[in-house]
Amino acid sequence: MVFGKKYMDEEFEERGFKAVIQEGMGYAATPNLADYIPQLAWLDLRGLTKKLKAILKVYDDFLEKVIAEHVQHSSRDENRNKDFVDLLLSFMESEETDCQIDIEHVKAIILDMLIAGMDTSAAVIELSISKLMRHRRVMKKVQMELENVVGKDRMVEESDLENLEYLDMVIKESLRLHPVAPLLQHESMEDCIVNGFHIPKKSLVFINAYAIGRDPNA
């Protein structure tokens, strides 16, 4: 969708497109001692910096290839259907935009769309379904809402989402229990009382997901 065509594994180094993406995501999510003790960063004790630089080189080479293809195709056929990469390249060349971008900005935005737009969505869907399978009562309520709002004769459309209130709550609860960016901490926005306990504003909130998952009334 972003590139305007499907790239096969053989076009993304010998390891394959999916494998390289997953490898990079794995390195990025791996705890690193240097994140907590910056003075040790130069040592690269676990070799993560070296591995990430190698993966980023693969990404960069691939994105350079994608951009070069789009520039070449644009010069040949100006009337072809434009995709997301074409749009970014047009901003780079335009003098009417408020913020000027260069080729490095284009590659960074494409990489965000490619990785952040794919892995986070897949993780939320997978975790939400796994929770629903363990809590059949909640699963049944989601199914009933879908039947009442959408029916069984068509697919769910974006216009249906504002009426799927219970499904919305299920997704938000999944995000609360399993944030797609787990290093981000929960913080109370205002003073509140929870189960008789006073929680001041700006307090860090740590969730016992196991206890909540075991409570049928949660």
Side-chain angles (χ1 to χ4, degrees):
M1 291 172 64
V2 174
F3 299 146
K5 61 170 284 189
K6 184 174 183 178
Y7 285 86
M8 307 304 292
D9 278 350
E10 56 267 22
E11 298 180 73
F12 199 82
E13 231 202 21
E14 67 277 2
R15 283 170 287 179
F17 184 86
K18 184 177 179 180
V20 173
I21 294 294
Q22 290 180 333
E23 187 177 349
M25 293 294 295
Y27 290 145
T30 301
N32 188 4
L33 185 62
D35 292 336
Y36 304 94
I37 310 176
Q39 294 83 354
L40 299 179
W42 66 278
L43 293 173
D44 192 20
L45 296 174
R46 303 187 61 185
L48 289 175
T49 300
K50 181 179 180 181
K51 293 175 181 176
L52 278 169
K53 285 182 177 179
I55 287 291
L56 288 173
K57 178 64 168 59
V58 176
Y59 289 162
D60 191 69
D61 290 344
F62 175 70
L63 295 176
E64 287 279 0
K65 174 184 176 181
V66 170
I67 292 172
E69 287 181 359
H70 279 73
V71 171
Q72 185 178 25
H73 292 159
S74 295
S75 62
R76 291 179 178 177
D77 183 8
E78 295 183 356
N79 296 320
R80 70 185 183 89
N81 292 330
K82 306 296 183 181
D83 56 40
F84 188 74
V85 178
D86 291 315
L87 181 65
L88 291 176
L89 292 175
S90 68
F91 286 152
M92 187 176 68
E93 299 169 356
S94 175
E95 297 180 357
E96 299 179 359
T97 56
D98 296 331
C99 181
Q100 295 297 315
I101 63 174
D102 58 24
I103 196 69
E104 295 303 318
H105 292 116
V106 171
K107 289 191 287 188
I109 295 171
I110 295 173
L111 193 59
D112 277 345
M113 294 292 293
L114 181 64
I115 296 179
M118 176 186 66
D119 186 76
T120 51
S121 300
V124 172
I125 294 171
E126 180 180 353
L127 289 168
S128 298
I129 293 178
S130 68
K131 286 292 184 183
L132 287 171
M133 291 176 67
R134 293 178 58 194
H135 298 83
R136 297 300 179 89
R137 174 183 61 86
V138 178
M139 170 80 86
K140 188 64 178 178
K141 292 184 69 173
V142 172
Q143 292 172 336
M144 291 179 62
E145 183 181 60
L146 287 169
E147 289 181 15
N148 293 332
V149 174
V150 180
K152 297 182 178 181
D153 299 326
R154 64 178 179 86
M155 300 291 288
V156 177
E157 299 179 356
E158 187 174 352
S159 58
D160 297 317
L161 297 181
E162 61 181 20
N163 298 318
L164 296 171
E165 297 179 357
Y166 192 74
L167 177 63
D168 181 63
M169 289 189 287
V170 167
I171 296 296
K172 288 178 178 177
E173 180 68 358
S174 297
L175 288 169
R176 183 179 72 84
L177 293 174
H178 303 286
V180 292
L183 294 181
L184 298 179
Q185 296 175 330
H186 297 277
E187 183 181 272
S188 56
M189 299 175 62
E190 56 187 29
D191 292 345
C192 60
I193 304 294
V194 178
N195 289 339
F197 293 94
H198 176 253
I199 300 179
K201 181 179 180 179
K202 296 290 186 181
S203 296
L204 294 182
V205 180
F206 296 93
I207 306 297
N208 188 336
Y210 178 78
I212 291 176
R214 300 285 291 182
D215 182 0
N217 298 316

